């Protein structure tokens, strides 16, 4: 496939776009005295107005974080198990991209994570259950390997502590393992494992998307009841649930092999004593205290409520379930602790950590209605028993736009841009709820985000590259700009790397090539913006250009330009402008208000050759950063932003009096 066919347009258009940015401030085309005196918005030209005197939030260095690769299978090749080190091919790329935070051990797959079997010598580590498919997976990439990776790439750690299968004491012990000094039980164990100094992990969240219908685990299917169970704990009846083993929840794990002395466990112990009904196929068997007194044909079992363990006989003392029979259980799972208990135990170990709740359900492109988690906590006197909330404001094309597919490639681009504003509104609305009902310093974080067809890629046949093309980079840059203006403390997108070689919905492709996507390129471009210290300052786009789309539940047009601005610790003003228009360069006026800058402006542009451009192993540098310097005078500047581009303008402060 030729480069021209793949990317749609040639190199000439891209070079024109980059040149147009520089030309926008040169004395013969841009900031003339007439321009400087002109009023904003004349002739329908958008105006990007910046007020550097109006500072708001501290710029977060964790804005461009990422959800880590799954911990099993050596984190999909991210960890070099043979040499006990991060895979060399990924370290430099993560550093270059300026990834500020990496979430561990992951999302849905980690909801049943057991941290205690992931530390210590590799040969003594246990296997465990993957939280989505219930498969048995390894524990090689544990917290110590994760922290070694974190330190190698220079990122900040953030841990998702599982809720569905853990206890507050277990997670408090994890906090102690990560943060307690030597001279304590867990600090000494960490030291014996080769890590004497505390890791100092500050950011923790409890559970992942437990509000989702397919991530309830032991909790109720009723939304309000489940939220209360998440907050305060409880007991819930499980019906006709397959049994398994402590390391396997797949259907095959619930099937008898016909051997004597078989053992199984229910999925979500502990179990209320005597609440269980165990069936072998459709026959109900009977609990006994001791199999030794049972006859050869007695359909009986023993049961351990704390572990949920089920044991059948050997054919002499208790009947053996026939080979191929399916074992299921009804039982009362619990009592389980709730978020308040986790928070209290974890903060008792280390009061400096932040423990975030995650109950922020979304429906139809907005926060779900009804009573919110902040309201519930305030009602019960626990407004101060959480440090913030983590939300996953995904754009789900099926849920939010009612799309079963992309009608064409352009729709794949437009749907992402339409979803961006809706995602930002979700975050804004949750922020308002926390400010109204929570404590003064509670905050919002985003621990997963992106634009996706959940459930498969066949729906994206018209634009299969949408998750790793320039379109998604524009979506993410828009998210970072909006989240910065909302004071989001940290943001993690989905995902760091993929399971297989090649590309998928990741920041980098899979091992061993780890292809750098446009998303990663834009992160590199914005690294200084988010890591430069300082504060977000007021900015807005007046008379914005609208891009028309087909009619959707999220509207039929979107703003072409999205912007934010920041004043860094050196006094330089950086203005981020995302032009999401798939086709049109947009000439704009940039108004800097009272800010006085030097005459040299640093300019960087990421645009590709078209909105569907992407990097791959064949063309790893199809999308790159174009850097230049331009000369600008005055505080009212005319600029041309290329189509489908992310532009960063950095104005050093004037040194003149």
């Amino acid at each position: 496939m030729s480069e021209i066919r793949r990317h749609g347009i040639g190199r000439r258009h891209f070079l024109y776009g980059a040149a147009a940015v520089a030309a926008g401030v040169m004395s013969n085309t841009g900031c003339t005295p007439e321009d400087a005196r002109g009023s904003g918005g004349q002739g329908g030209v958008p105006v990007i107005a910046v007020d550097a005197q109006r500072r708001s939030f501290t710029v977060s260095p964790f804005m461009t974080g990422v959800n880590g690769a799954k911990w099993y299978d050596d984190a999909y090749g991210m960890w070099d198990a043979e040499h006990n080190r991060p895979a060399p091919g990924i370290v430099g790329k993560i550093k270059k991209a300026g990834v500020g935070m990496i979430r561990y051990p992951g999302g849905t797959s980690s909801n049943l994570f057991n941290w205690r079997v992931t530390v210590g010598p590799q040969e003594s580590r246990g296997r465990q259950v993957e939280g989505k498919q219930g498969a048995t997976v390894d524990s090689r990439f544990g917290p110590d390997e994760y922290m070694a990776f974190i330190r190698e790439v220079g990122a900040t750690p953030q841990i998702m502590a599982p809720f569905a299968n853990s206890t507050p004491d277990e997670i408090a012990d994890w906090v102690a393992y990560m943060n307690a000094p030597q001279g304590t039980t867990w600090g000494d164990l960490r030291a014996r494992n080769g890590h004497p100094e505390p890791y100092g992990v500050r950011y923790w969240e409890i559970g992942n998307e437990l509000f989702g219908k397919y991530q309830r685990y032991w909790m109720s299917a009723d939304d309000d009841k489940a939220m209360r169970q998440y907050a305060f704990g409880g007991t819930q009846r499980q019906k006709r649930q397959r049994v398994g083993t402590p390391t396997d929840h797949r259907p095959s794990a619930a099937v008898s092999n016909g051997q004597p002395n078989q053992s199984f466990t229910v999925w979500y112990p502990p179990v209320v004593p005597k609440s269980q009904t165990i069936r072998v196929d459709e026959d109900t068997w009977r609990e006994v205290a001791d199999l030794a007194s049972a006859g050869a044909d007695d359909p009986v079992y023993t049961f351990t409520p704390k572990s949920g363990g089920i044991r059948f006989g050997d054919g002499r003392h208790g009947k053996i379930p026939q080979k191929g029979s399916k074992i299921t259980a009804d039982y009362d799972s619990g009592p389980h602790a709730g978020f308040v208990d986790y928070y209290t135990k974890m903060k008792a170990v280390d009061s400096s950590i932040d423990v975030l709740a995650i109950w922020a359900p979304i429906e139809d492109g907005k926060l779900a209605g009804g009573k919110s988690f902040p309201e519930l906590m305030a009602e019960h006197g626990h407004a101060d028993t959480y440090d913030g909330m983590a939300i996953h404001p995904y754009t789900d094309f099926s849920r939010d736009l009612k799309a079963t597919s992309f009608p064409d490639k352009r729709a794949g681009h437009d749907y992402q841009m339409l979803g961006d504003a809706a995602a930002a509104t979700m975050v804004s609305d949750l922020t308002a709820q926390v400010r109204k009902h929570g404590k003064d310093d509670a905050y919002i974080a985003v621990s997963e985000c992106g634009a996706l067809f959940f459930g498969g890629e066949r729906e994206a046949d018209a634009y299969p590259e949408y998750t790793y093309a320039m379109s998604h980079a524009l979506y993410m840059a828009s998210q970072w700009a909006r989240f910065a203006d909302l004071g989001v403390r940290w943001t993690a997108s989905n995902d760091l790397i993929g399971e297989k070689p090649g590309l998928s919905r990741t920041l980098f492709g899979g091992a061993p090539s780890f292809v750098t996507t446009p998303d990663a390129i834009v992160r590199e471009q914005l690294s200084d913006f988010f890591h430069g210290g300082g504060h977000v300052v007021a900015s807005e786009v007046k008379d914005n250009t609208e891009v028309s789309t087909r009619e959707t539940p999220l509207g039929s047009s979107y703003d072409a330009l999205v912007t934010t601005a920041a004043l860094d610790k050196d006094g330089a003003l950086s203005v981020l402008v995302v032009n999401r228009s798939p086709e049109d360069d947009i000439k704009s006026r940039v108004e800097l208000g009272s800010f006085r800058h030097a005459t040299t402006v640093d300019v960087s542009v990421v645009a590709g050759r078209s909105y569907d451009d992407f990097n791959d192993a064949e063309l790893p540098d199809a999308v790159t950063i174009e850097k230049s310097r331009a000369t600008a005078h005055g505080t009212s500047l005319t600029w041309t932003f290329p189509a489908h581009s992310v532009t960063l303008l950095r104005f050093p402060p004037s040194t003149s009096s």
Side-chain angles (χ1 to χ4, degrees):
M1 181 179 295
S2 71
E3 181 177 348
I4 294 296
R5 286 183 61 196
R6 177 185 135 179
H7 298 294
I9 56 178
R11 180 75 173 168
R12 180 181 300 174
H13 177 84
F14 177 70
L15 292 176
Y16 163 75
V21 174
V25 292
M26 300 305 287
S27 59
N28 63 334
T29 59
C31 185
T32 64
E34 181 180 29
D35 287 333
R37 292 192 299 268
S39 60
Q42 289 183 347
V45 174
V47 174
I48 299 168
V50 180
D51 186 350
Q53 301 302 312
R54 292 175 55 199
R55 303 184 185 186
S56 55
F57 305 102
T58 300
V59 176
S60 171
F62 314 132
M63 190 63 73
T64 55
V66 65
N67 189 35
K70 311 302 183 287
W71 82 92
Y72 50 87
D73 293 338
D74 298 320
Y76 288 168
M78 197 172 75
W79 184 257
D80 179 358
E82 181 180 353
H83 300 95
N84 196 36
R85 65 181 184 183
I90 191 65
V91 170
K93 293 184 177 182
I94 293 176
K95 284 184 175 180
K96 189 175 182 181
V99 174
M101 177 178 278
I102 299 176
R103 184 184 188 224
Y104 175 88
T108 306
S109 68
S110 306
N111 264 329
L112 300 177
F113 184 74
N114 181 358
W115 81 269
R116 286 181 170 176
V117 303
T118 66
V119 296
Q122 288 285 348
E123 61 271 15
S124 66
R125 296 186 186 182
R127 295 177 70 79
Q128 56 180 300
V129 179
E130 189 269 344
K132 187 174 183 180
Q133 303 297 334
T136 302
V137 293
D138 65 75
S139 300
R140 292 192 297 268
F141 188 67
D144 293 314
E145 289 76 19
Y146 164 66
M147 289 305 302
F149 191 92
I150 283 286
R151 290 179 171 178
E152 185 76 13
V153 302
T156 292
Q158 188 265 309
I159 289 177
M160 189 285 290
F163 175 87
N165 69 328
S166 66
T167 68
D169 285 332
E170 289 169 353
I171 302 305
D173 288 345
W174 193 3
V175 174
Y177 184 84
M178 303 305 284
N179 293 355
Q182 290 191 70
T184 62
T185 299
W186 292 104
D188 287 346
L189 176 61
R190 185 189 63 246
R192 290 196 297 273
N193 289 337
H195 310 281
E197 295 301 317
Y199 290 127
V201 178
R202 176 178 176 182
Y203 301 105
W204 301 73
E205 58 181 322
I206 305 300
N208 177 83
E209 296 181 6
L210 300 171
F211 47 80
K213 295 295 185 183
Y214 301 102
Q215 297 187 55
R216 290 291 169 86
Y217 301 95
W218 64 264
M219 293 184 292
S220 173
D222 178 81
D223 294 343
D224 288 340
K225 184 176 180 181
M227 180 171 66
R228 285 170 170 77
Q229 290 171 335
Y230 175 71
F232 309 120
T235 299
Q236 181 62 40
R237 187 71 176 168
Q238 312 296 309
K239 295 181 179 180
R240 293 283 180 166
Q241 189 179 86
R242 292 192 307 268
V243 299
T245 75
T247 61
D248 194 347
H249 287 182
R250 289 171 294 184
S252 59
V255 177
S256 170
N257 60 14
Q259 298 298 309
N261 300 314
Q262 292 182 74
S263 295
F264 300 88
T265 58
V266 301
W267 287 356
Y268 308 123
V271 175
V272 175
K274 306 302 180 183
S275 70
Q276 82 282 356
T277 297
I278 305 299
R279 296 182 181 87
V280 178
D281 289 331
E282 295 302 315
D283 297 328
T284 298
W285 289 34
R286 176 170 52 89
E287 179 186 5
V288 296
D290 187 354
L291 289 168
S293 60
D297 294 323
D298 290 347
V300 296
Y301 62 91
T302 61
F303 190 74
T304 306
K306 183 176 181 179
S307 66
I310 306 162
R311 186 174 181 84
F312 293 106
D314 59 4
R316 292 187 304 119
H317 301 288
K319 185 177 180 179
I320 299 173
Q322 184 176 355
K323 183 177 181 180
S325 295
K326 182 174 68 174
I327 294 92
T328 58
D330 294 357
Y331 62 100
D332 291 338
S333 176
H336 295 277
F339 176 88
V340 170
D341 305 296
Y342 283 80
Y343 182 90
T344 302
K345 292 273 189 178
M346 294 167 70
K347 298 285 274 195
V349 171
D350 185 350
S351 61
S352 71
I353 65 173
D354 290 354
V355 183
L356 275 64
I358 54 84
W359 203 274
I362 294 163
E363 58 183 16
D364 299 329
K366 62 182 183 298
L367 283 183
K371 184 176 293 182
S372 68
F373 183 84
E375 288 179 282
L376 177 68
M377 294 289 277
E379 280 183 2
H380 289 266
H382 289 290
D384 59 348
T385 317
Y386 62 103
D387 297 316
M389 294 194 67
I391 184 174
H392 294 178
Y394 280 109
T395 294
D396 179 343
F397 302 121
S398 300
R399 179 195 65 200
D400 303 339
L401 290 118
K402 310 307 177 190
T404 57
S405 64
F406 291 147
D408 50 41
K409 184 170 286 190
R410 171 66 185 269
H413 175 87
D414 290 343
Y415 286 1
Q416 294 185 72
M417 303 309 118
L418 288 165
D420 157 63
T425 300
M426 299 174 203
V427 175
S428 177
D429 289 346
L430 184 60
T431 299
Q433 290 181 2
V434 169
R435 287 178 179 170
K436 180 177 180 180
H437 300 289
K439 59 186 178 182
D440 290 343
D441 57 350
Y443 62 89
I444 302 301
V446 173
S447 57
E448 286 187 35
C449 64
L452 296 170
F453 265 121
F454 286 89
E457 297 304 319
R458 63 186 181 278
E459 297 92 340
D461 286 346
Y463 189 6
E465 307 88 4
Y466 79 96
T467 63
Y468 52 86
M470 194 65 212
S471 291
H472 196 68
L474 297 171
Y475 174 93
M476 289 306 306
S478 302
Q479 294 277 271
W480 297 325
R482 297 188 196 274
F483 293 167
D485 285 347
L486 289 168
V488 169
R489 193 70 59 90
W490 39 270
T491 297
S493 68
N494 185 18
D495 266 337
L496 185 59
I497 63 171
E499 180 178 6
K500 301 175 182 179
L503 288 158
S504 58
R505 59 187 211 188
T506 57
L507 184 58
F508 300 97
S513 55
F514 301 117
V515 173
T516 301
T517 64
D519 185 334
I521 297 293
V522 173
R523 289 167 188 258
E524 178 188 349
Q525 175 194 25
L526 303 182
S527 182
D528 289 342
F529 182 93
F530 287 114
H531 293 269
H535 291 81
V536 177
V537 299
S539 64
E540 63 175 323
V541 183
K542 303 175 182 178
D543 299 319
N544 210 334
T545 299
E546 289 290 306
V547 179
S548 296
T549 72
R550 53 177 40 86
E551 190 69 41
T552 78
L554 296 182
S556 57
S557 67
Y558 56 86
D559 290 339
L561 301 181
V562 173
T563 187
T564 189
L567 203 63
D568 69 22
K569 63 180 183 297
D570 298 322
L573 176 65
S574 293
V575 181
L576 166 62
V577 182
V578 188
N579 179 4
R580 290 107 58 84
S581 173
E583 298 174 353
D584 296 328
D585 302 336
I586 297 180
K587 184 177 181 180
S588 307
R589 189 181 300 280
V590 180
E591 302 281 3
L592 301 180
S594 61
F595 183 77
R596 297 295 181 265
H597 58 88
T599 56
T600 299
V601 182
D602 295 316
V603 183
S604 67
V605 182
V606 178
R609 282 150 286 216
S610 64
Y611 67 83
D612 62 332
D613 208 357
F614 60 92
N615 297 334
D616 61 13
E618 178 188 355
L619 293 171
D621 299 315
V623 178
T624 59
I625 304 172
E626 297 286 337
K627 295 184 178 181
S628 62
R629 283 187 172 176
T631 301
H633 302 277
T635 58
S636 181
L637 317 170
T638 298
W639 222 282
T640 299
F641 297 99
H644 48 79
S645 71
V646 181
T647 300
L648 186 64
L649 310 175
R650 185 176 186 274
F651 299 89
S654 173
T655 57
S656 65
S657 57

